[in-house]
Amino acid sequence: MTLSWKLLGLASLALLSGTVTGTGADAHSDRALKRFNATVGGRVQSLAPFSLPCFSSYNGQPVARDNAACTAIQANYSNPWLRTNSPNGYMNNQAEMWASDPSDQCLLDDSNPADPLAYVNATCRQGNMPSHYLEVQSPKDVIEAFRFSKNSGKQLVIKNSGHDYLTRSSGRDSLSLWMRNLRSMHYNQAFTPHGCNDAAQKYKAITVGAGVNFDEAYTFAQQHNVTILGGYSPTVGVSGGWVQNGGHSILSPVYGLGVDRVLEFKVVTPDGVYRTANEFQNPDLFWALRGGGGGTFGVVLESTHRVEPAIRFVAANIKFPSTSTNMLPFMEIVVNNTLKWAQEGWGGHITGNTLVNISPLLSIDEAKTSLADVIAYAKANGGSATIEEFNSWYPFYEKYVTTSSVAVGVTRFPGSRLIPRSVFETAEGRADLMSFFALIQSIGQTPYIPVVGPVLYEYAEGSTSASPAWREAVWELGSGASWAWNSTLSTRMQKIAAIQNMTAVIEGITPGGGAYSNEANPFTINWREAWWSDKYEKLVRIKNKYDPDNLLRCWKCIGWEESQAATSAFAAFV
Ligand SMILES: Cc1cc2nc3c(=O)[nH]c(=O)nc-3n(C[C@H](O)[C@H](O)[C@H](O)COP(=O)(O)OP(=O)(O)OC[C@H]3O[C@@H](n4cnc5c(N)ncnc54)[C@H](O)[C@@H]3O)c2cc1C
Ligand SMILES: *[C@@H]1O[C@H](CO)[C@@H](O)[C@H](O)[C@H]1NC(C)=O
Ligand SMILES: *[C@@H]1O[C@H](CO)[C@@H](O)[C@H](O)[C@H]1NC(C)=O
Ligand SMILES: *[C@@H]1O[C@H](CO)[C@@H](O)[C@H](O)[C@H]1NC(C)=O
Ligand SMILES: *[C@@H]1O[C@H](CO)[C@@H](O)[C@H](O)[C@H]1NC(C)=O
Ligand SMILES: *[C@@H]1O[C@H](CO)[C@@H](O)[C@H](O)[C@H]1NC(C)=O
Ligand SMILES: *[C@@H]1O[C@H](CO)[C@@H](O)[C@H](O)[C@H]1NC(C)=O
Ligand SMILES: CC(=O)N[C@H]1CO[C@H](CO)[C@@H](O)[C@@H]1O
C-alpha cells in the first residue's frame, strides 16, 4: 500500500513535474475509490473506449491489440445493440471524443471500420469517456455512489442506452452508473400509484426496470395485448432521458407524450434516499421528473407507464424517387395539409420524398381521402402509396420501425425546434417553412420531420415540466450537423457555426417557441427559455432540494452554468 502510493506519487511527479498537493489528492481519491469499491462488493471497473481492442497504443502507452474483439467491433460498428449492451458503448461519437481536440479520441473509420488508417500508428485516447463504471444492481449501489461522489468529488454520470446526442450520459474522469441490466418488466391490469387512497384510480400499466428499452417493452406489451407508447428506435430506453425529457411517439398526437403517461418513478435522489415519486408521494419530484431532464434529479431505478388496449390504426407509406425539383412541391402539399391532418390524428415521419404516418382515428377509405393529394403527387413522380390497417402496434413496429434505423457510430448533432400550429395558420408562416425547406435543399440536406406534437391529447394543465411549447407543437423540424471521424478542429468549428446559423433561422420562424432538448441543437444559446421556459426556476428549486450538493451535473441540464462550458469537451465551440 505504502509502496504503491510512493510509486504512484513518483509517476505523477514525472508526468506532471508535479506538485505535492497533486499527488496527495491522487492518493486520497485512490483510497476513496477503494473504499467505495469495497462497499459495492468489488464491482467497480475501469472503463476503456469502445474501440480500444483495435489499437496497439492506449493513452500513449503500448498495449496488446485484441484481434478477436476488434473484429467483432468492426463487424458491428454501426450496430446499436452491441453499443447499447456495452458499458462503454454510445450511439454517437461525440459522447466518446474530446470534441475540441481531434487527437483525443478512439474511433474507427465509420465509413469503413476495417480502414487501418484509424488504428495503425494511432493511439487510442480516453476522450470524453468516463474513467470507471459500476453496473447498478440495486438502490444501495446508487446510494453508495452518491456517498462516494460527495466525499471524493468524483463526478457521476448515468448511462442507460447511450443515445443522448448532448453527451449527457458520458463525461471525462467520471464514474458511470450503468443501468442497462435492470431488466424487470411487470404488467398490472389495475395499477394504483403508491400512497393513493382513491380506489377509483386504477390504470392498466407496465412497470419496467431502468435498463429496459423499447424493443423489449413493445414485445412485452404485445404479449399482454396492450400498447405502450415509445420512441422510433428499438434501443432507446423507456425510463431514462426519453421519458424524463418529454418522450415522443408517433402515437403522441392522440395519446400524449411519455411524460403524460408515466404514473410513478422509483428513484434514488442525490441526498441518498430511495423514493417513490408519483402524484401522491414526492409530487414535486414527480413533476420535475416529468420533463425536467435525465441525469438531474436522481437515478431512476424503475418507472411505471399507463398503457392502452391493443390499438387499431391505419398506416400510410408514401414515397417517390427524389430529383432536384420534386421535393419542394411535395413539401408545399404537406405544409398546406398539416393542420387538417393534425385533426385527423396523423403522426409519423415525413422527409422530402417519404411519408410514413399512422392514425388511430381513420378508416382505410378516410385515410385515402385525407392523403389524396400526396398520394397523387407520389404516383405522378414515379412513386408508390400503401395504405393498410394494423390491429396492434407490434406488427407495425416490426415492419416499419425496426427497418428504418438511424445510423449510429457516427458524429451527428440534431438541431430541431418545435413548430406550433400558429405557423401553419398564416400564409406567411407557411411561406417561411417553404423558404426553410429551400434553404435546407441548398445546403444538400433533406427535411426530417417527426410529426409527434400531442395535438389531440387532453393535457392536464401544469401536470408536467416539459417545455410548454410541446402543447402548441405539431411538428419537430430542423437541421443538424455531422463530421467525419478524422475531421480537423476547423472543420468541426465550421459545422457548429453552420448549425448555429440554421437554429437562428428556425427560431426566427417560431419566435417565443421552444424545442425538445433531447433533439435540439446542443449549442442552443437561450436553452433555458427554449427547453423549459417559465418552468425553469421552479425546476432549479426542486433540483436544489433533492440535490443540495449539486452532485448531478450535465450539459445544459437544470442548474448548469455557462462557465462550465470552458472545461467541457465542447470548449472550442462556445
Ligand atoms: C437513433 C435515435 C433515435 C431516437 N428516437 C427518438 C424518438 O423516437 N423519440 C424521442 O422522444 N426521442 C428519440 N431519441 C432521443 C432520445 O430520447 C434521447 O437520446 C434520450 O436522451 C435517450 O435516453 P436514454 O436513457 O435511452 O439514453 P442515455 O444516453 O443512456 O441517457 C440519456 C440521459 O438520461 C439520463 N438517464 C439515463 N438513465 C437514467 C436513469 N435511470 N435515471 C436518471 N437519469 C437517467 C442520462 O444521465 C442522460 O442525461 C432518439 C435518439 C437517437 C440517437
Ligand atoms: C474493485 O475491487 C475488485 C476486487 O478487489 C478488483 O478486482 C477491481 O479491480 C477493483 N476496481 C478498481 C477500479 O480498482
Ligand atoms: C505505419 O507506420 C509504418 C512505419 O512508419 C509504415 O510503414 C506503415 O505504412 C504505417 N501504416 C499505416 C496504416 O499508416
Ligand atoms: C386484444 O385486445 C383487443 C382490444 O381490446 C381485443 O379486441 C382482442 O380480442 C384481444 N386479443 C386477445 C388475443 O386477447
Ligand atoms: C398552398 O396554399 C397556398 C395558399 O396559402 C396556395 O397558394 C398554394 O397553391 C397551395 N399549394 C398547394 C400545392 O396546394
Ligand atoms: C479521413 O479519412 C478518410 C477515409 O474515411 C480519408 O479518405 C481521408 O484522407 C482522411 N483525411 C485525413 C485528413 O486524414
Ligand atoms: C453563418 O451566418 C453568418 C452571418 O449570416 C455568416 O457570415 C457565416 O458565413 C455563416 N456560417 C456558416 C458556417 O454558415
Ligand atoms: C455482439 C454482436 O452484436 N455481435 C454481432 C456482430 O456482427 C456479427 C456479424 O454481423 C453478428 O453475427 C454478431 O451477432
Side-chain angles (χ1 to χ4, degrees):
M1 173 87 191
T2 317
L3 183 65
S4 63
W5 182 84
K6 276 197 180 137
L7 285 174
L8 187 88
L10 286 173
S12 307
L13 275 170
L15 276 173
L16 304 168
S17 33
T19 58
V20 175
T21 47
T23 57
D26 283 354
H28 172 76
S29 59
D30 256 28
R31 283 197 302 275
L33 182 68
K34 256 197 167 142
R35 277 201 303 274
F36 167 55
N37 195 8
T39 65
V40 294
R43 290 181 293 109
V44 179
Q45 307 278 333
S46 52
L47 191 68
F50 185 71
S51 299
L52 172 63
C54 296
F55 288 75
S56 315
S57 167
Y58 180 30
N59 294 325
Q61 302 296 314
V63 287
R65 189 174 189 275
D66 184 338
N67 290 316
C70 175
T71 302
I73 289 164
Q74 288 173 319
N76 296 282
Y77 200 66
S78 59
N79 174 346
W81 284 96
L82 181 60
R83 288 174 183 271
T84 209
N85 288 337
S86 308
N88 58 0
Y90 293 90
M91 300 301 152
N92 295 289
N93 289 163
Q94 64 266 30
E96 285 190 49
M97 62 171 62
W98 196 260
S100 299
D101 175 0
S103 71
D104 196 351
Q105 60 185 32
C106 186
L107 301 176
L108 303 185
D109 174 353
D110 57 85
S111 68
N112 171 19
D115 179 1
L117 187 61
Y119 54 85
V120 177
N121 303 339
T123 194
C124 165
R125 292 200 184 271
Q126 195 74 6
N128 197 37
M129 293 291 291
S131 61
H132 296 88
Y133 77 98
L134 172 67
E135 180 191 316
V136 171
Q137 296 175 350
S138 69
K140 179 178 175 290
D141 286 347
V142 180
I143 291 167
E144 293 297 348
F146 279 127
R147 200 194 315 272
F148 164 59
S149 175
K150 186 173 173 178
N151 292 340
S152 67
K154 185 82 169 173
Q155 179 64 44
L156 300 179
V157 297
I158 310 161
K159 194 254 177 177
N160 180 23
S161 75
H163 270 263
D164 198 84
Y165 286 112
L166 285 75
T167 74
R168 295 173 298 194
S169 47
S170 67
R172 172 176 277 185
D173 278 336
S174 63
L175 169 77
S176 170
L177 298 176
W178 185 40
M179 310 306 290
R180 173 68 178 132
N181 289 330
L182 294 170
R183 305 269 184 96
S184 61
M185 291 193 270
H186 298 284
Y187 172 57
N188 190 336
Q189 285 192 311
F191 176 85
T192 302
H194 291 88
C196 167
N197 298 320
D198 177 1
Q201 281 218 31
K202 288 194 194 314
Y203 306 92
K204 283 187 167 56
I206 287 179
T207 299
V208 292
V212 170
N213 65 29
F214 280 112
D215 183 75
E216 292 146 359
Y218 292 151
T219 304
F220 183 77
Q222 173 76 2
Q223 285 159 5
H224 292 275
N225 197 25
V226 295
T227 312
I228 186 166
L229 261 72
Y232 219 69
S233 163
T235 50
V236 166
V238 180
S239 303
W242 180 83
V243 67
Q244 293 175 50
N245 263 303
H248 65 69
S249 156
I250 64 169
L251 285 165
S252 293
V254 176
Y255 294 100
L257 299 170
V259 287
D260 295 323
R261 309 195 55 90
V262 67
L263 296 168
E264 185 168 284
F265 291 100
K266 296 280 181 64
V267 52
V268 176
T269 43
D271 55 2
V273 184
Y274 184 41
R275 300 172 191 273
T276 297
N278 60 34
E279 265 186 77
F280 308 91
Q281 288 182 274
N282 301 299
D284 56 349
L285 179 62
F286 184 52
W287 180 82
L289 289 167
R290 293 174 86 180
T296 305
F297 302 97
V299 177
V300 167
L301 274 289
E302 61 178 56
S303 63
T304 300
H305 305 258
R306 189 155 50 97
V307 298
E308 297 292 325
I311 294 171
R312 185 220 67 92
F313 55 89
V314 284
N317 176 19
I318 297 170
K319 56 188 175 201
F320 57 90
S322 64
T323 66
S324 60
T325 55
N326 64 12
M327 185 268 267
L328 290 176
F330 176 72
M331 291 314 299
E332 188 170 316
I333 304 173
V334 167
V335 167
N336 280 10
N337 278 283
T338 286
L339 287 180
K340 177 178 75 100
W341 290 342
Q343 290 310 309
E344 293 168 341
W346 288 108
H349 292 89
I350 299 173
T351 71
N353 66 324
T354 68
L355 178 153
V356 177
N357 281 14
I358 69 175
S359 168
L361 306 184
L362 302 181
S363 68
I364 287 201
D365 283 345
E366 288 165 340
K368 286 181 176 161
T369 305
S370 165
L371 300 176
D373 290 353
V374 270
I375 294 171
Y377 189 83
K379 288 189 171 162
N381 282 270
S384 64
T386 309
I387 311 287
E388 57 186 320
E389 194 163 31
F390 288 88
N391 288 319
S392 66
W393 171 256
Y394 199 78
F396 173 86
Y397 166 72
E398 281 187 303
K399 183 167 178 180
Y400 287 105
V401 185
T402 58
T403 55
S404 72
S405 56
V406 176
V408 302
V410 295
T411 305
R412 173 172 295 134
F413 296 96
S416 77
R417 181 97 170 156
L418 295 168
I419 310 297
R421 278 182 207 92
S422 56
V423 170
F424 299 93
E425 279 164 358
T426 66
E428 189 198 352
R430 293 192 294 270
D432 283 348
L433 290 173
M434 291 310 300
S435 307
F436 185 75
F437 295 130
L439 178 60
I440 288 215
Q441 188 172 45
S442 74
I443 58 171
Q445 296 188 359
T446 46
Y448 178 72
I449 308 170
V451 182
V452 291
V455 182
L456 300 178
Y457 180 75
E458 264 189 60
Y459 177 61
E461 198 52 53
S463 57
T464 77
S465 54
S467 171
W470 268 118
R471 304 302 160 185
E472 304 295 323
V474 186
W475 285 1
E476 226 193 335
L477 170 67
S479 119
S482 52
W483 63 54
W485 67 280
N486 57 353
S487 60
T488 61
L489 183 59
S490 72
T491 299
R492 295 177 183 192
M493 291 175 75
Q494 190 265 329
K495 298 278 185 180
I496 300 299
I499 197 180
Q500 292 291 50
N501 279 6
M502 292 301 279
T503 298
V505 174
I506 196 86
E507 284 176 354
I509 299 175
T510 55
Y516 175 38
S517 63
N518 276 344
E519 296 177 332
N521 172 1
F523 304 95
T524 299
I525 293 163
N526 61 343
W527 56 279
R528 294 180 185 81
E529 295 77 19
W531 301 352
W532 288 288
S533 185
D534 58 347
K535 302 185 164 138
Y536 188 79
E537 292 307 324
K538 184 172 167 192
L539 285 166
V540 170
R541 287 197 295 278
I542 298 170
K543 162 82 174 162
N544 292 340
K545 173 177 168 188
Y546 291 100
D547 186 7
D549 300 303
N550 200 21
L551 299 181
L552 290 177
R553 299 188 291 273
C554 50
W555 181 259
K556 299 194 176 181
C557 294
I558 300 297
W560 189 83
E561 296 294 341
E562 268 60 25
S563 58
Q564 291 170 240
T567 52
S568 79
F570 291 149
F573 313 115
V574 292

